[in-house]
Amino acid sequence: MSLGRVSLLRLDRTGGLAPGNKSFKLREYLAQARQSGVQRLVSFGGAWSNHLHALAALGQECGIETVGIVRGDDGEGESAMIADAASWGMRIHRVSRTEYRRRNDIEYQQALREYFAPCLLIPEGGASIAGAQGCAGIGEIIRRVAPQAERIVLPVGTGTTLAGLASSVAADTDIVGISALKGAVDLEQRVERLLAAQGLGSRVRWSIRHDFHCGGFARVNAALREFMLEFEAVQGVQLEPVYTGKMLFAIHQLIKTGQWNAATGLLAIHTGGLQGRRGYPWMN
Ligand SMILES: *Cc1c(COP(=O)(O)O)cnc(C)c1O
């Protein structure tokens, strides 16, 4: 298995109960709550949401109440991850798929704010300026520990982490996001909006690859499964199939097919998410 000159930034080993990029994404929301004296954080996610998992963990650590609006009210919204969140004190509020679809409606959000008042409502995935600002902390770590990185590669869900990096790494760095979703054609626009909202244009080069979703969000195909099992055996580093597995698979493919030069100094960000392995029996 040739991966060229790839280094891994092991965020999966930071953050205690909330490892990976999620504790960075939630940082500013926690600070906002603290500043305004709000004692309750409310957010959205599916049964395998790393975001809700991290929110529950941080709530427990910081002594702040958390509420998870969970998609699926007929057994679908149950998982080992939601069980963890509940054990850390998160109040689990299950809603139907139909209701969950309204998560970005202003009126629905207002109703939730009133229902759980006083609270701070965090968008799904922590996807807003505050989330991106928190992720600038990842860029600061990179400037410190890997200033020589020519290209930074990371998995992308909402694009919030990518936007935070683009605002904080050295200006001559090339950032490549690997989308975990199939056909998420609005991702670039979302990143641009997050950058513009911080008064930042195209400070760095960044792009998103849409061709390594391996069948769609949280889906796995045979090639990905084979790659991940081999990677873990050879490298002794655990991955999960939703984000980090697809990112390393993409790097491997791009180098193998000659689209990327194996001599370029790559820094791949291991964004965590390993708690989600429990949803994939073949990984355990
Ligand atoms: C949430 C998550 C991502 C995606 O982060 P975005 O900021 O939504 O793009 C990547 N990797 C892991 C492990 C995650 O949990």
Side-chain angles (χ1 to χ4, degrees):
M1 163 173 305
S2 171
L3 280 165
R5 287 174 55 210
V6 178
S7 308
L8 267 187
L9 181 71
R10 298 288 306 274
L11 295 184
D12 60 312
R13 308 227 285 195
T14 69
L17 284 180
N21 62 337
K22 295 297 185 282
S23 60
F24 290 91
K25 268 172 121 173
L26 285 166
R27 209 144 114 174
E28 288 298 315
Y29 294 104
L30 284 162
Q32 280 177 14
R34 224 173 270 131
Q35 273 160 22
S36 52
V38 170
Q39 275 301 314
R40 186 177 300 133
L41 296 173
V42 181
S43 197
F44 309 89
W48 293 93
S49 163
N50 290 333
H51 166 68
L52 285 186
H53 196 259
L55 180 64
L58 292 169
Q60 148 106 338
E61 278 173 4
C62 305
I64 224 170
E65 275 179 53
T66 58
V67 178
I69 316 280
V70 177
R71 181 185 57 223
D73 54 0
D74 48 2
E76 171 199 23
E78 280 164 42
S79 70
M81 306 259 290
I82 294 300
D84 287 347
S87 79
W88 292 325
M90 176 174 265
R91 174 167 160 199
I92 306 299
H93 182 84
R94 290 195 169 79
V95 300
S96 66
R97 285 208 156 224
T98 315
E99 182 170 337
Y100 192 83
R101 252 178 242 127
R102 299 181 59 207
R103 64 195 177 281
N104 297 322
D105 288 4
I106 306 287
E107 279 168 32
Y108 179 60
Q109 291 185 346
Q110 194 47 38
L112 287 173
R113 273 194 201 94
E114 281 162 24
Y115 187 76
F116 293 109
C119 72
L120 179 69
L121 191 67
I122 302 175
E124 183 186 51
S128 78
I129 301 177
Q133 283 168 340
C135 291
I138 304 173
E140 281 152 27
I141 294 176
I142 293 173
R143 293 180 86 117
R144 209 165 56 237
V145 304
Q148 75 289 355
E150 295 167 79
R151 177 179 288 148
I152 295 171
V153 190
L154 78 159
V156 168
T158 62
T160 311
T161 306
L162 193 155
L165 276 180
S167 75
S168 58
V169 296
D172 54 352
T173 319
D174 178 29
I175 303 179
V176 181
I178 308 297
S179 175
L181 298 98
K182 183 174 173 175
V185 290
D186 63 339
L187 269 178
E188 282 84 356
Q189 245 181 18
R190 288 193 192 202
V191 173
E192 270 160 22
R193 245 184 269 132
L194 286 171
L195 287 172
Q198 297 176 79
L200 300 165
S202 48
R203 231 186 111 253
V204 299
R205 266 171 300 148
W206 62 267
S207 58
I208 298 174
R209 306 265 330 193
H210 294 272
D211 43 354
F212 293 100
H213 55 74
C214 301
F217 186 67
R219 300 278 176 86
V220 177
N221 61 19
L224 175 66
R225 193 180 308 136
E226 221 167 88
F227 168 80
M228 287 180 65
L229 291 172
E230 191 188 345
F231 179 91
E232 292 196 346
V234 172
Q235 308 290 342
V237 173
Q238 288 197 322
L239 304 172
E240 45 68 51
V242 184
Y243 295 106
T244 53
K246 287 176 187 178
M247 168 188 65
L248 280 152
F249 178 63
I251 293 173
H252 182 246
Q253 291 296 112
L254 289 164
I255 291 175
K256 194 170 118 184
T257 56
Q259 294 178 69
W260 279 4
N261 183 345
T264 304
L266 288 191
L267 181 71
I269 305 184
H270 193 315
T271 43
L274 297 178
Q275 60 277 352
R277 289 166 62 95
R278 289 173 291 177
Y280 296 86
W282 58 273
M283 292 243 71
N284 301 297

